Amino acid sequence: MAARHRPSTDKESLIKILQHVSSEIREWKQAATTVVLRIRQIGVLIDRLGPALDDLSALLDAAKQIAETAEGLAVSAKGIDQSAEIIARDAEKIAHALPAVERLGRLADRLPGGGRRSAAGR
């Protein structure tokens, strides 16, 4: 009877091993399915990456153009600042000279035959 009992134990051990292997195979199959799904998702992302890189390249080109334009504007602004300083100095000189010009005008108006009335009558 002991001999008959032993083969059944071997069968049961073999069945347990096969069940364990079957379980492992199912887990590996699930893992492989997950990996395939992730690979497909990565493929989709890579497909989307191409146009995104093209957009990024276009943005970089636009940024370079903006930088070049900004440099030109900075040079122009410097010229405008220099011109504004010259204009301000000239305006100050004119403001200082204006009272003297007004006095000369009044003096010319008092001269016999001079002034604005004679010039208008010619």
Side-chain angles (χ1 to χ4, degrees):
M1 196 129 197
R4 285 187 181 175
H5 186 268
R6 188 173 192 155
S8 105
T9 305
D10 288 341
K11 283 183 181 179
E12 289 174 1
S13 294
L14 184 59
I15 290 173
K16 286 183 180 180
I17 291 171
L18 290 174
Q19 287 173 340
H20 180 70
V21 168
S22 176
S23 174
E24 290 290 322
I25 290 172
R26 279 193 295 271
E27 288 177 16
W28 276 92
K29 181 183 174 193
Q30 182 62 36
T33 302
T34 301
V35 168
V36 168
L37 177 64
R38 296 292 185 241
I39 289 171
R40 287 182 182 157
Q41 290 172 341
I42 289 171
V44 169
L45 291 175
I46 289 171
D47 288 343
R48 291 180 185 169
L49 185 61
L53 289 176
D54 291 341
D55 292 345
L56 182 59
S57 177
L59 286 173
L60 288 173
D61 289 343
K64 287 178 187 175
Q65 291 175 352
I66 290 170
E68 290 169 2
T69 302
E71 287 176 13
L73 288 174
V75 170
S76 295
K78 184 177 180 182
I80 291 170
D81 285 346
Q82 290 171 346
S83 297
E85 289 174 11
I86 293 169
I87 291 170
R89 282 193 304 258
D90 290 347
E92 189 175 324
K93 290 176 186 175
I94 291 170
H96 287 301
L98 191 58
V101 171
E102 288 175 350
R103 284 193 302 271
L104 282 174
R106 285 194 300 271
L107 179 64
D109 286 342
R110 290 188 209 149
L111 293 174
R116 289 181 217 139
R117 286 173 281 184
S118 300
R122 290 187 185 169

